[in-house]
């Protein structure tokens, strides 16, 4: 399995593939005790019962009878004999073997095209027909993904548990990886485009102001983090086994090895795109069915349990013909901007509630100014990311009124979030009437600007004007200020902006604004009037405090952009802490940032990985101990700081 192969040194598993190997050939390598039923002891008479499943048996296309042949040919017997370490393939009786899967592999990395088989071995029939195979069956050892033991009865491929994973962000990808490797029949459903087409759609937005509602900075393969800085920092513990497993999996799929040692690792969009492409190819190799441009419009619920999903082509208008798909479980990994999904869950009375998050503005400085503030004389050695010294960043956290039990609404934190050195400000709207922004950077961080979200925490006290929306109160709170920002900008995705010095003085920036990295234009605006006064004052006080620690931070060259609202999910979907299943709807498994359990690429990946193992355990695909395999899952609630 790709995950554990990448993390072998952490999980004490068999060694991973050698550097440079194709990710589609990675194997997680979990022991059979962790994967499923343990085989009887070597040499035990009990091995005469049950079945062995042999997978990834390769037969060169030139030797195979062809795509329409589903029997056991002499070349396939040779591959079986090699797996069993039996010396003479012609002595093996064809009747003891049955083909359960056959696929064609014509990738250019192979020496020649080949058919790849999965074959079940009826041990009793094999021993009856050829007793001399006993010694080889007695010594056969399980190996996940290639050799598996099934003690009771043959498990036909059409009886595999069927799982839908909705969303191909980090949590959805890792849930699909684990479930696919452990034998589930996985369908990965993504409303957006694969990264190649998604990049073209984002280009159309940045250049021609064309917003594709289902393929943008928030929706599409890789999730919202793909066109971001690709930060791999987390509050859940950088050195935990789960985090290390994810990090090493990224490297195996093409991430730079230095992310394993860098104190502040990041990938950058240019590294994330090929990494995701490799991830996708590996999932397909596992048999995962990936459906892009497919939006989940509804759940099929019978007797308080999810039985499937209703989907439609996201390239067509709402109300277009839909399709009902049946599944044994649905993993919900939709991300923090799937507001239509939240509304659909509300119609099914799924238990969810507003949670704290943060809103604010995005502040941008010339990168050279931040280099000078942070490095002094060493700033000259940065050289736009090519020098000896890394491009400078910063991290800021300020607290106000903490511990005041009488006025809890005044307890608030203000902090920097998603700081992008050498980056640019980008549009993350999913609706043309709502304006929200984020930051991104490429791996070298070579642009002349440094930007960061500068946000204040908000909670149920702030959502009171929207409490009629129930669990979606936080969503409506976001929308309110995204609409205000769109109005301030004047439309056409122009962003309202204000010099930091003018924001502190509560005045409109009437002189020419400093240059901005935002490509669709900025408009001088009264950002100090955008939020309620208590939020604005916290932001202003924090900036003044930062100036005392970082002289030069308050500068005529510093520019504020509005508005940053989607720092994390505005709600949390209640779930069981050990099974990951919804507390109100059986068969539904809400995970990742959209469900309120993560706050970035790493934490979302880890959440998806743990859910994959937990669900596999419920489906009887995994019988090991999750904590002994991956370490104890870290549980965090509320907003997440970067």
């Amino acid at each position: 399995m790709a995950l554990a192969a990448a993390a072998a040194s952490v999980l004490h598993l068999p060694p991973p593939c050698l550097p440079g190997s194709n990710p589609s050939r990675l194997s997680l390598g979990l022991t059979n005790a962790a994967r499923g039923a343990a085989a009887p002891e070597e040499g035990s008479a009990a091995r005469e019962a049950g079945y062995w499943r042999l997978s990834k048996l390769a037969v060169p296309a030139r030797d195979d009878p062809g795509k329409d042949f589903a029997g056991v040919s002499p070349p396939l017997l040779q591959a079986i004999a090699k797996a069993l370490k039996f010396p003479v393939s012609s002595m093996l009786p064809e009747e003891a073997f049955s083909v359960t899967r056959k696929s064609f592999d014509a990738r250019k990395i192979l020496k020649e095209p080949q058919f790849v088989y999965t074959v079940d071995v009826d041990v009793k029939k094999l021993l009856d027909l050829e007793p001399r195979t006993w010694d080889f069956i007695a010594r056969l050892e399980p190996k996940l993904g290639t050799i598996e033991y099934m003690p009771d009865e043959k498990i036909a491929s059409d009886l595999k548990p069927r799982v839908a994973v909705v969303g191909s962000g980090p949590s959805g990808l890792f849930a699909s990886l684990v479930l696919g490797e452990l034998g589930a029949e996985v369908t990965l459903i993504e409303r957006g485009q694969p990264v190649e087409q998604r990049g073209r759609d984002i280009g159309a937005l940045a250049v021609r102001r064309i917003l594709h509602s289902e393929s943008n900075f928030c929706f599409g393969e890789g999730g919202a983090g793909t066109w971001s800085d690709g930060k791999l920092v987390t509050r859940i513990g950088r050195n935990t086994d789960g985090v290390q497993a994810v990090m090493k999996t990224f490297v195996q799929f093409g991430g730079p090895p230095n992310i394993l040692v860098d104190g502040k690792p990041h990938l950058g969009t240019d590294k994330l795109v090929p990494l995701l492409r490799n991830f996708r190819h590996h999932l397909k190799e596992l048999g995962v069915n990936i459906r892009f441009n497919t939006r989940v419009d509804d759940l099929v619920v019978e007797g308080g349990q999810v039985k499937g999903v209703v989907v439609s082509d996201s390239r067509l208008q709402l109300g277009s013909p839909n399709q009902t798909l049946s599944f044994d479980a649905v993993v919900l990994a939709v991300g923090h901007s799937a507001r239509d999904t939240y509304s659909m869950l509300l119609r099914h009375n799924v238990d969810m509630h507003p949670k704290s998050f943060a809103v604010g503005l995005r502040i941008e400085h010339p990168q050279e100014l931040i280099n000078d503030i942070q490095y002094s004389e060493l700033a000259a050695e940065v050289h736009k990311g090519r020098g000896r010294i890394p491009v400078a960043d910063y991290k800021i956290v300020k607290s106000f009124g903490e511990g005041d039990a009488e006025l809890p609404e005044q307890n608030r934190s203000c902090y920097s979030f998603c700081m992008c050195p050498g980056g640019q400000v980008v549009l993350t709207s999913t609706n043309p009437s709502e304006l929200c922004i984020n930051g991104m950077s490429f791996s070298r961080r070579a642009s002349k600007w440094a930007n960061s979200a500068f946000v204040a925490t908000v909670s149920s006290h702030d959502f009171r004007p929207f409490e009629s929306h129930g669990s979606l109160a936080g969503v409506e709170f976001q929308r309110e200020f995204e609409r205000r920002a769109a109005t301030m900008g004047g439309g056409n995705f122009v962003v309202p902006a204000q010099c930091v010095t003018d924001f502190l003085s509560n005045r409109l920036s009437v002189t020419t604004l400093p240059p901005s990295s935002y490509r669709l234009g900025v408009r001088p605006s009264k950002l100090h009037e955008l939020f309620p006064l208590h939020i604005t004052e916290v932001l202003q006080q924090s900036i003044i405090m930062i100036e005392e620690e970082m002289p030069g931070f308050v500068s005529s060259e510093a520019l504020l952009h509005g508005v940053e609202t989607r720092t994390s999910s505005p709600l949390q979907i209640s779930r069981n802490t050990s099974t990951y299943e919804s507390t109100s709807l059986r068969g539904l498994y809400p995970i990742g940032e959209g469900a309120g359990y993560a706050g970035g690429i790493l934490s979302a990946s880890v959440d998806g990985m743990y859910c994959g193992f937990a669900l596999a355990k419920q489906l009887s695909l995994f019988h090991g101990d999750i904590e002994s395999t991956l370490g104890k899952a870290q549980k965090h609630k509320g907003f997440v700081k970067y």
Side-chain angles (χ1 to χ4, degrees):
M1 196 174 182
L3 183 58
S9 62
V10 177
L11 307 184
H12 310 293
L13 301 172
C17 298
L18 294 174
S21 60
N22 188 333
S24 67
R25 287 301 182 195
L26 298 176
S27 174
L28 197 108
L30 286 171
T31 62
N32 190 70
R35 159 61 175 85
E41 293 183 5
E42 182 178 319
S44 168
R47 290 198 176 208
E48 296 181 12
Y51 290 80
W52 288 85
R53 174 163 290 171
L54 310 179
S55 303
K56 299 183 180 178
L57 300 175
V59 175
R62 55 182 165 79
D63 298 331
D64 193 89
K67 64 181 178 62
D68 298 323
F69 181 79
V72 179
S73 64
L76 178 57
L77 280 178
Q78 293 177 11
I80 294 171
K82 184 177 180 180
L84 298 177
K85 299 182 180 179
F86 190 76
V88 185
S89 63
S90 59
M91 295 174 61
L92 294 175
E94 294 180 13
E95 300 88 340
F97 309 102
S98 57
V99 175
T100 62
R101 177 172 292 182
K102 180 178 182 178
S103 59
F104 186 61
D105 190 348
R107 291 172 300 145
K108 296 186 184 300
I109 63 167
L110 300 174
K111 292 182 179 179
E112 58 181 322
Q114 61 188 21
F115 285 93
V116 181
Y117 288 83
T118 298
V119 172
D120 283 354
V121 184
D122 185 329
V123 176
K124 186 178 186 303
K125 185 177 290 187
L126 176 63
L127 295 178
D128 286 344
L129 296 173
E130 181 48 75
R132 284 170 289 189
T133 58
W134 163 247
D135 287 342
F136 300 90
I137 293 294
R139 293 194 296 266
L140 198 59
E141 287 297 328
K143 184 177 180 182
L144 180 64
T146 56
I147 303 175
E148 300 174 57
Y149 178 68
M150 295 172 286
D152 298 319
E153 60 182 21
K154 178 178 172 182
I155 303 174
S157 60
D158 60 353
L159 295 181
K160 287 185 176 182
R162 294 166 299 173
V163 179
V165 178
V166 184
S168 67
S171 59
L173 288 172
F174 273 87
S176 298
L177 174 62
V178 172
L179 289 164
E181 291 280 9
L182 291 176
E185 184 179 314
V186 180
T187 300
L188 178 56
I189 302 173
E190 170 55 55
R191 67 193 300 167
Q193 297 269 21
V195 286
E196 298 88 346
Q197 179 58 46
R198 187 182 177 194
R200 291 190 282 272
D201 293 338
I202 286 174
L205 174 61
V207 176
R208 302 194 302 277
R209 302 176 191 270
I210 299 173
L211 174 62
H212 293 270
S213 61
E214 305 287 351
S215 180
N216 44 58
F217 278 94
C218 290
F219 297 147
E221 187 176 22
T226 305
W227 267 266
S228 181
D229 192 50
K231 290 178 180 62
L232 300 178
V233 293
T234 178
R235 290 200 308 156
I236 64 176
R238 172 71 187 279
N239 294 319
T240 61
D241 288 344
V243 170
Q244 285 295 301
V246 167
M247 294 284 280
K248 293 186 178 183
T249 301
F250 284 148
V251 172
Q252 289 293 321
F253 283 130
N258 68 307
I259 64 174
L260 300 177
V261 296
D262 194 337
K264 296 179 180 178
H266 75 106
L267 290 166
T269 292
D270 50 325
K271 301 292 185 183
L272 275 166
V273 169
L275 187 156
L276 287 167
R277 190 183 300 118
N278 289 337
F279 211 135
R280 182 205 314 156
H281 290 166
H282 179 67
L283 291 177
K284 287 185 175 180
E285 179 75 11
L286 293 175
V288 174
N289 177 26
I290 304 178
R291 296 185 54 157
F292 291 108
N293 302 304
T294 304
R295 181 181 52 243
V296 172
D297 297 320
D298 204 357
L299 299 175
V300 178
V301 179
E302 298 176 8
Q305 182 161 357
V306 175
K307 296 293 186 179
V309 295
V310 179
V311 301
S312 61
D313 190 330
S314 61
R315 293 167 294 188
L316 304 178
Q317 292 183 344
L318 287 173
S320 300
N322 54 39
Q323 180 183 9
T324 299
L325 306 175
S326 297
F327 294 101
D328 298 303
V330 174
V331 176
L332 199 64
V334 294
H336 59 42
S337 292
R339 293 168 172 172
D340 54 347
T341 302
Y342 294 152
S343 297
M344 178 268 289
L345 295 175
L346 192 62
R347 294 197 301 271
H348 286 285
N349 297 315
V350 172
D351 185 16
M352 51 189 181
H353 54 273
K355 76 167 184 64
S356 300
F357 58 103
V359 298
L361 308 168
R362 186 154 285 265
I363 188 168
E364 185 171 68
H365 296 79
Q367 181 62 54
E368 289 187 355
L369 175 61
I370 299 300
N371 293 342
D372 289 337
I373 292 174
Q374 298 294 69
Y375 293 152
S376 299
E377 65 275 4
L378 283 177
E381 299 191 42
V382 173
H383 300 305
K384 293 186 176 181
R386 293 188 181 276
R388 185 174 65 89
I389 303 299
V391 179
D393 62 4
Y394 57 82
K395 180 179 179 180
I396 300 160
V397 179
K398 302 296 177 186
S399 298
F400 298 87
E402 281 198 318
D404 192 337
E406 295 183 1
L407 296 171
E409 65 273 14
Q410 294 186 9
N411 297 339
R412 205 175 297 276
S413 293
C414 186
Y415 58 95
S416 59
F417 173 87
C418 189
M419 198 275 154
C420 298
Q424 57 187 290
V425 178
V426 295
L427 178 72
T428 54
S429 298
T430 51
N431 184 314
S433 66
E434 299 163 354
L435 188 65
C436 58
I437 55 175
N438 193 14
M440 67 161 285
S441 60
F442 294 104
S443 58
R444 196 161 60 86
R445 292 173 163 172
S447 94
K448 59 183 180 181
W449 287 285
N451 70 76
S452 174
F454 193 61
V455 293
T457 55
V458 292
S459 64
S460 57
H461 302 287
D462 302 288
F463 308 154
R464 283 173 182 163
F466 309 95
E467 59 187 11
S468 62
H469 294 275
S471 55
L472 302 186
V475 175
E476 292 305 314
F477 178 88
Q478 289 177 324
R479 279 181 164 148
E480 170 71 16
F481 297 104
E482 290 174 7
R483 290 167 182 154
R484 288 190 190 182
T487 301
M488 276 190 171
N492 213 18
F493 303 121
V494 174
V495 161
Q498 187 175 23
C499 293
V500 169
T501 49
D502 293 325
F503 178 72
L504 295 178
S505 301
N506 295 328
R507 67 188 180 209
L508 180 68
S509 298
V510 293
T511 58
T512 302
L513 293 175
S516 168
S517 66
Y518 182 71
R519 297 177 64 175
L520 298 180
V522 296
R523 179 186 185 185
S525 305
K526 296 180 180 180
L527 291 179
H528 57 276
E529 296 180 355
L530 176 63
F531 291 111
L533 182 60
H534 57 275
I535 294 178
T536 299
E537 289 179 342
V538 167
L539 294 171
Q540 291 172 332
Q541 292 173 37
S542 297
I543 291 174
I544 294 171
M545 295 168 67
I546 295 166
E547 172 66 18
E548 296 176 358
E549 300 173 9
M550 299 172 58
F553 191 83
V554 176
S555 164
S556 60
E557 298 178 278
L559 188 64
L560 290 165
H561 305 69
V563 62
E564 183 101 16
T565 54
R566 304 189 192 184
T567 53
S568 66
S569 174
L571 58 78
Q572 188 172 71
I573 305 172
S574 301
R575 72 184 188 191
N576 184 288
T577 56
S578 57
T579 66
Y580 290 74
E581 189 174 27
S582 165
T583 57
S584 55
L585 188 56
R586 298 192 310 276
L588 182 69
Y589 296 80
I591 62 172
E593 191 161 345
Y597 294 96
I601 293 174
L602 265 187
S603 56
S605 300
V606 170
D607 197 55
M609 180 176 63
Y610 274 90
C611 175
F613 277 105
L615 177 52
K617 195 163 189 173
Q618 289 183 272
L619 297 173
S620 299
L621 298 172
F622 174 78
H623 295 276
D625 179 67
I626 299 174
E627 291 190 3
S628 65
T629 303
L630 293 171
K632 187 174 182 180
Q634 302 295 312
K635 308 295 182 184
H636 288 274
K637 296 182 179 180
F639 69 91
V640 178
K641 302 177 188 176
Y642 278 71

